[in-house]
Amino acid sequence: MSVEFDKVVKTTAWSPGPGCHGGCGVELYIKDGKVVKVEGDPDHPWNHGRACPRLLACTQYINHPDRITKPLKRVGERGEGKWEEISWDQALDEIATKLLQLRDDYGPESLAMWDVVASVPPSQGLAAVLSSRFMGLWGATDPIQGYGLDNGPFYAAFFDMGDFYKYMTTDPANFDTSDYIIVWGANPIENQQRIAKHLVEARSNDAKIVDIGLLFDGTAGFADEFIPVKPGSDPALSLTMANLIIQDKRYNENFLLSYTVAPFLVRDDTGEFLRDAE
């Protein structure tokens, strides 16, 4: 169905708000300042114009009449569902006043912030930095220590090797020429089209694909081998794999010595790296 539009804006899937981490290329069709149609960007190197149903439905929730676009303040009893619209200035002033009161009465640690960011680049983006900075300056309590569980590998790579983008991310196009691919705890065949495309390409190039997960889903059915695991057993499996890699010396020693913390000794009493003077 054709629609009238004034211009087309190219962006990524994070911006229209489908709620995923794909970062697919998107074309937004704009009419009178309003998004009237969404399509995949055929020039984008990741999804090549492909778009999932969630992305195509963006116009429905962006323009939904019940979408909250301005601050609302409760005027009735809790749960009564009565609200009034207030300005951003009033909302920020009232929130700041309440925060200062809580700090003075109970201390800065009485404020707990549950700030979960996910994926790349959002987990290392401005939103994550600003919230962490605010918690640090305020002295607030961080129940999850700033990072969601799914971001653990990124920060482990940062502390172990000094970088995460270089070691924790890759262009999905690299799958095309891979010989062996492990899909662990994900279902890209059903919910990540830009990844699925390259898994299919890898399969056509005789790559072996192994799926590790809790459910026999679409990716498990597509894979050459499915390894079912019980919830919470992943660490045991990964540590066992790491142990075998070390025992059989199936690692690149030069890489470890040059780019990781492998050459450094760790103190038994503190768990910290041994300093030069020690």
Side-chain angles (χ1 to χ4, degrees), residues 138-150:
W138 186 270
T141 298
D142 185 356
I144 58 173
Q145 299 301 311
Y147 313 126
L149 292 177
D150 58 342

Side-chain angles (χ1 to χ4, degrees), residues 83 87 93 100 109 125 149-150 163 194 207 231 277:
W83 307 85
S87 67
D93 288 343
L100 292 172
E109 67 278 4
L149 292 177
D150 58 342
D163 195 345
R194 70 178 183 87

Side-chain angles (χ1 to χ4, degrees), residues 248-259:
D248 297 343
K249 295 186 177 181
R250 298 181 180 182
Y251 51 81
N252 187 328
E253 183 174 346
N254 291 331
F255 178 89
L256 293 176
L257 293 174
S258 301
Y259 298 107

Side-chain angles (χ1 to χ4, degrees), residues 179-199:
D179 297 322
Y180 194 96
I181 299 174
I182 299 177
V183 181
W184 198 319
N187 185 18
I189 291 297
E190 294 186 284
N191 57 35
Q192 289 180 296
Q193 291 188 353
R194 70 178 183 87
I195 301 295
K197 170 187 180 298
H198 296 290
L199 289 179

Side-chain angles (χ1 to χ4, degrees), residues 116-134:
V116 179
V117 290
S119 188
V120 179
S123 59
Q124 285 83 39
L126 183 61
V129 174
L130 289 177
S131 58
S132 298
R133 179 63 171 162
F134 176 77

Side-chain angles (χ1 to χ4, degrees), residues 46-195:
W46 283 12
N47 59 311
H48 304 282
R50 294 173 177 82
C52 66
R54 180 167 55 181
L55 175 60
L56 296 176
C58 279
T59 54
Q60 297 180 29
Y61 46 83
I62 291 176
N63 302 319
H64 197 281
D66 293 334
R67 180 186 175 193
I68 298 175
T69 59
K70 296 181 180 179
L72 300 177
K73 180 179 179 180
R74 179 165 53 86
V75 294
E77 296 296 326
R78 184 181 296 273
E80 194 175 359
K82 293 182 178 180
W83 307 85
E84 68 175 356
E85 185 179 302
I86 61 175
S87 67
W88 284 105
D89 287 338
Q90 180 181 344
L92 293 173
D93 288 343
E94 291 194 17
I95 292 172
T97 300
K98 185 64 175 180
L99 287 176
L100 292 172
Q101 178 186 340
L102 293 173
R103 184 197 64 182
D104 295 340
D105 293 344
Y106 306 105
E109 67 278 4
S110 62
L111 172 65
M113 290 186 62
W114 189 279
D115 179 54
V116 179
V117 290
S119 188
V120 179
S123 59
Q124 285 83 39
L126 183 61
V129 174
L130 289 177
S131 58
S132 298
R133 179 63 171 162
F134 176 77
M135 281 188 278
L137 291 174
W138 186 270
T141 298
D142 185 356
I144 58 173
Q145 299 301 311
Y147 313 126
L149 292 177
D150 58 342
N151 288 332
F154 295 102
Y155 292 95
F158 176 80
F159 289 116
D160 289 345
M161 295 179 277
D163 195 345
F164 35 78
Y165 291 112
K166 188 184 299 184
Y167 306 110
M168 290 301 303
T169 62
T170 185
D171 188 333
N174 290 330
F175 298 165
D176 297 355
T177 54
S178 297
D179 297 322
Y180 194 96
I181 299 174
I182 299 177
V183 181
W184 198 319
N187 185 18
I189 291 297
E190 294 186 284
N191 57 35
Q192 289 180 296
Q193 291 188 353
R194 70 178 183 87
I195 301 295

Side-chain angles (χ1 to χ4, degrees), residues 189 196 199-204 209 216-225:
I189 291 297
L199 289 179
V200 172
E201 185 68 22
R203 163 66 65 75
S204 68
I209 299 175
F216 191 86
D217 50 29
T219 302
F222 173 81
D224 298 288
E225 184 178 354

